[in-house]
Amino acid sequence: MRKAFPRTGTDWKTLEAEMAGMSDGDIDWRHGRAPLYVFHGSDSAHEVGKQTFMNFFSENALGGRRAFFGLKRMEDEVVEMGLDLFQAPDGAVGNLSTGGSESIFMAVKAARDWGRDQARLKEPFNIIAPYTAHAAFNKAADVMDLEVRRVDTNAQRHADVGAMAGAMDEHTIMLVGSAPCFPHGVIDGIDALSELAMARDIWLHVDACVGGYVAPFFQRIGRDIPAFDFALPGVRTLSADLHKFGFCPKPASTLFYRFEADRERGLFHFDAWPNGQFSTATLSGTRAGGAIAAAWAVMHHLGQDGYMAIARDLAAMTDAYVAGITAIDGLALLAQPHLTIINFAAAKPDDLDIFAVAEAMDGRGWLPGLTQNPKGMHAMLSMFHETGREDYLSDLASCVEQVRGANAASDLKAVY
Ligand SMILES: Cc1ncc(COP(=O)(O)O)c(C=O)c1O
């Protein structure tokens, strides 16, 4: 039955209790039982983000230029800190958006409009991406009538740059590389993609949505992280989400452009209506002031030291997960993770159905993360996952035994 619009109002205490009850059956994500959707760096960063969000709860970044000058300054400074982190050259610019999908959408729009200015490029346009690129590229392409050509990855599940070069033609406007890709957590060979982009004068977008704000700190603590940012001359746009491993409240992402003229292509301007000039750098009009102020506060609260400290914790935790998983007889990694995303499978898929293992884990209260082609289990680890680590690994080992013993099979489907 459809819920009726309430005839009378209800006090906050009653509502608060009712809503808490509505979430009673949720996955216990605070203790690491959700392998995606949520992120945690440190308790203090969480509190600073939450408090600042509330302090700027009503401000609207759409009015940053005309009314909310403090918010506008914070937004500009968040962008500048990102440009600094990603080694952008003078003249590079950027803006905040509400998430990775929106940042990718705006980069694709800018590339499409650039493509239209290039006499040598012919419509209908296409984008060449590794098979592992995020679905958001197809979403953007769907809206803009573009084609995404997904190219199989190499044996390490990194972008196969030679095969991507072979898929290009006179309709190609953009190459995509991920840093890292969501399915396997590996950083594509952005250096080779950069060379290809330069040689063919094609736009290269680096999707650092999931890893952008943690990869530089993994580098700084001495982990072997390949170059992926504007230090590579072919990188034209880069997206990185603050609301993921930047540990800022949702919704907050950043999109950076090497050239100011490209951001102009990403903008939307319209004047032919009663309220006059309307210009935005994002799909959204109204934007939560809280998210922007919170990003500014969390970045200042943590500083490089704070992000490095979290990177050390994340790296140690991921290593412990990897060691625990690979110690389980019958399991093997599908790729060597660069950061904190792990993807593993049955070492011999004919002997063990990994989706049956996932189903057994589900039965024990662990939301399973799955990949298809290849079939595997997947987890994006943040500090929520430290408390549950030993339970996860021991449940995983016993689920593998249980499935093997029963020779169980599953018809689960991978769902994001
Ligand atoms: C590599 C990558 N790109 C883009 C996105 C999309 O981000 P959002 O969900 O914020 O739109 C994600 C989300 O996980 C991602 O992992």
Side-chain angles (χ1 to χ4, degrees):
M1 202 177 61
R2 179 191 289 162
K3 177 164 171 77
F5 200 104
R7 292 175 66 87
T8 55
T10 306
D11 66 278
W12 164 237
K13 278 284 160 224
T14 309
L15 293 175
E16 189 182 26
E18 185 180 338
M19 287 187 289
M22 286 166 95
S23 299
D24 269 354
D26 286 5
I27 296 288
D28 185 9
W29 52 269
R30 288 183 183 82
H31 299 101
R33 284 174 180 262
L36 71 172
Y37 309 134
V38 283
F39 303 84
H40 189 68
S42 74
D43 291 349
S44 68
H46 176 86
E47 279 312 311
V48 167
K50 194 162 139 183
Q51 190 59 52
T52 313
F53 198 108
M54 290 308 164
N55 290 354
F56 287 82
F57 183 75
S58 298
E59 279 88 333
N60 179 352
L62 178 62
R65 280 179 200 287
R66 304 190 61 227
F68 311 110
F69 309 119
L71 197 61
K72 172 77 174 73
R73 179 171 164 199
M74 289 176 223
E75 177 161 13
D76 290 347
E77 291 187 3
V78 168
V79 168
E80 285 168 26
M81 289 186 274
L83 291 168
D84 182 37
L85 185 67
F86 298 120
Q87 308 188 73
D90 288 349
V93 293
N95 55 264
L96 267 74
S97 81
T98 56
S101 300
E102 192 180 35
S103 290
I104 288 169
F105 189 96
M106 301 319 299
V108 170
K109 177 199 171 321
R112 183 203 60 180
D113 290 3
W114 168 80
R116 286 177 175 167
D117 290 343
Q118 313 302 305
R120 70 199 158 91
L121 298 176
K122 309 268 175 287
E123 296 200 56
F125 292 143
N126 66 53
I127 295 170
I128 310 292
Y131 171 58
T132 49
H134 194 271
F137 289 96
N138 283 72
K139 190 191 236 182
D142 189 51
V143 176
M144 287 181 257
D145 280 332
L146 310 172
E147 180 194 358
V148 180
R149 294 188 182 163
R150 288 182 177 257
V151 177
D152 283 345
T153 51
N154 66 19
Q156 288 75 42
R157 308 195 191 283
H158 297 192
D160 182 338
V161 179
M164 286 176 68
M168 293 170 71
D169 58 21
E170 77 271 25
H171 301 279
T172 301
I173 49 166
M174 179 185 259
L175 294 166
V176 173
S178 309
C181 68
F182 185 73
H184 310 302
V186 295
I187 298 178
D188 290 324
I190 308 293
D191 50 352
L193 283 169
S194 164
E195 277 173 29
L196 177 60
M198 301 279 285
R200 305 279 284 266
D201 191 11
I202 293 300
W203 194 295
L204 171 59
H205 179 78
V206 173
D207 177 8
C209 283
V210 68
Y213 282 97
V214 76
F217 301 107
F218 266 52
Q219 270 165 352
R220 279 165 216 197
I221 61 163
R223 306 283 285 210
D224 192 14
I225 302 296
F228 70 93
D229 66 13
F230 288 105
L232 298 168
V235 176
R236 192 143 176 171
T237 39
L238 182 149
S239 51
D241 294 353
L242 292 157
H243 64 200
K244 295 191 171 88
F245 288 93
F247 307 113
C248 302
K250 303 172 186 72
S253 170
T254 41
L255 172 62
F256 302 103
Y257 299 86
R258 178 179 292 274
F259 306 115
E260 185 155 12
D262 286 344
R263 189 176 61 154
E264 198 48 47
R265 296 180 163 111
L267 298 180
F268 175 76
H269 301 292
F270 186 71
D271 193 24
W273 71 315
N275 284 78
Q277 186 63 44
F278 177 89
S279 294
T280 53
T282 50
L283 268 182
S284 358
T286 290
R287 289 182 300 128
I292 292 166
W296 189 94
V298 170
M299 290 162 98
H300 280 85
H301 171 68
L302 287 174
Q304 298 199 27
D305 292 359
Y307 279 107
M308 278 164 67
I310 295 174
R312 274 190 208 96
D313 291 344
L314 286 169
M317 178 185 64
T318 307
D319 289 348
Y321 267 94
V322 166
I325 289 164
T326 50
I328 297 173
D329 182 36
L331 298 183
L333 288 182
L334 281 169
Q336 208 54 51
H338 276 120
L339 298 167
T340 70
I341 293 177
I342 52 175
N343 182 212
F344 57 94
K348 293 187 188 146
D350 291 343
D351 293 350
L352 179 73
D353 182 351
I354 193 72
F355 280 11
V357 176
E359 213 170 314
M361 289 292 278
D362 195 11
R364 296 181 187 216
W366 300 98
L367 177 69
L370 300 174
T371 54
Q372 58 181 4
N373 309 322
K375 261 174 105 168
M377 289 183 67
H378 180 269
M380 177 169 61
L381 304 168
S382 78
M383 292 320 293
F384 279 136
H385 296 92
E386 181 53 23
T387 43
R389 176 167 54 84
E390 288 182 5
D391 289 347
Y392 179 89
L393 292 171
S394 79
D395 277 352
L396 186 62
S398 69
C399 287
V400 167
E401 277 317 298
Q402 180 189 321
V403 166
R404 220 191 329 241
N407 206 10
S410 163
D411 55 7
L412 273 185
K413 296 256 174 295
V415 180
Y416 186 72

